[in-house]
Amino acid sequence: MWLLQVFLAASAFCSYGAAQGLRQPQPSMNNRMQTTARINCHFSGSDFRNTPIHWYQQKPSEAPKRILYMIAGDPVFDEQADKEMFWAEKKMSLSICTLTIKRITKQQEATYYCAYWDYAGVKIFGSGTKLIVSDKGTSAPKSYEVLSSENENKLTYVCLVEKFYPEVIRVTWTEGGDEVIDNVVNGEVWKSDDDQYSIGSWLTVPKENKNKKYLCKYEHESNEQSFAPPSTQDLTKTAEKQDCNATSGNSRIFYGDHLMHRTAYLVYIVLLLKSSMYYVIVLFFVYRMRTPAKHHGKKT
């Protein structure tokens, strides 16, 4: 467990470096009982030919295990038995290293990471690709939207991506083409009754950034999309329309009544919490006021 915690901490610490050096474009791979799977790792540094690329396998609740590494030519395996299940190759012209998983069974269900040592001696990991062995097909998110609210000197954007399978998904925020990292909170993926998944992400920015165009982006095995919160003018126009649903590709964006209802629900929850806090505060002061009165009555 200690090694697992160190590995996860190193992956989080090196996320910036991973964006510079390694990229695994597939967050997951839902293998429907096929015999092989191929996971790509894109390298953006220099001298790809002479850079050793390592591949790790991490099963649930287990420490990560290195399978192999390769420079040029054939891969070098840590355990000879793994030759029967894995292979790797470099596509020099594309700077891509591909891990091939052969003879797929439930035993190979895990998250696979590529990695390399940078010039400073730090091992940089990719973001990982989860191999899922299942006979259930992949489902793209059925709906996605961004809600916004103003509170004092801050703006809060809430990105909701709903009804997708499998559960592995990446949600990020961008502004002007650059990823926004500060003041971003990604919620846990939750499961609905129909065995599909949803996720929420929050971005908080200063109120003076109101005119900046923030985009919420999700990357899923099925597809990827970027979308922005509707402007105040767009909300006014759509609220006047009777038909307030718009369809984009295989996803649905909700406007008008739906957006108003969702916003009203969030506001109701906030007001309910505030009223509960006020109620507790009032009870506290009433108790404090009555306590001295009781003591005074006993003294007299």
Side-chain angles (χ1 to χ4, degrees), residues 110-180:
T111 302
Y112 294 86
Y113 297 90
C114 58
Y116 81 105
W117 292 94
D118 69 1
Y119 293 111
V122 177
K123 179 164 280 191
I124 306 298
F125 288 90
S127 54
T129 299
K130 184 175 182 180
L131 176 65
I132 300 170
V133 182
S134 170
D135 57 356
K136 185 176 180 178
T138 301
S139 300
K142 293 183 179 179
S143 65
Y144 49 84
E145 61 181 333
V146 177
L147 303 175
S148 62
S149 65
E150 296 184 14
N151 182 17
E152 296 179 353
N153 296 322
K154 294 181 179 180
L155 288 171
T156 300
Y157 298 105
V158 182
C159 176
L160 299 174
V161 184
E162 300 174 300
K163 303 291 186 180
F164 55 84
Y165 182 87
E167 71 275 14
V168 184
I169 195 169
R170 295 177 191 148
V171 179
T172 55
W173 293 87
T174 60
E175 192 280 316
D178 297 324
E179 183 177 349
V180 179

Side-chain angles (χ1 to χ4, degrees), residues 17-86:
Q20 285 187 319
L22 295 176
R23 184 174 66 89
Q24 292 179 244
Q26 298 167 289
S28 67
M29 181 176 293
N30 185 18
N31 191 282
R32 302 185 66 181
M33 301 304 180
Q34 297 179 9
T35 56
T36 60
R38 292 177 176 84
I39 299 175
N40 291 326
C41 176
H42 296 245
F43 181 84
S44 60
S46 59
D47 198 16
F48 177 62
R49 178 178 296 275
N50 297 314
T51 299
I53 302 296
H54 307 254
W55 281 98
Y56 286 81
Q57 178 195 65
Q58 185 184 12
K59 294 184 178 181
S61 302
E62 293 185 13
K65 165 195 167 185
R66 192 177 73 169
I67 304 169
L68 59 87
Y69 74 91
M70 67 174 307
I71 303 175
D74 292 343
V76 179
F77 289 85
D78 285 23
E79 298 180 9
Q80 292 301 310
D82 286 337
K83 283 187 175 181
E84 301 297 322
M85 294 181 289
F86 302 99

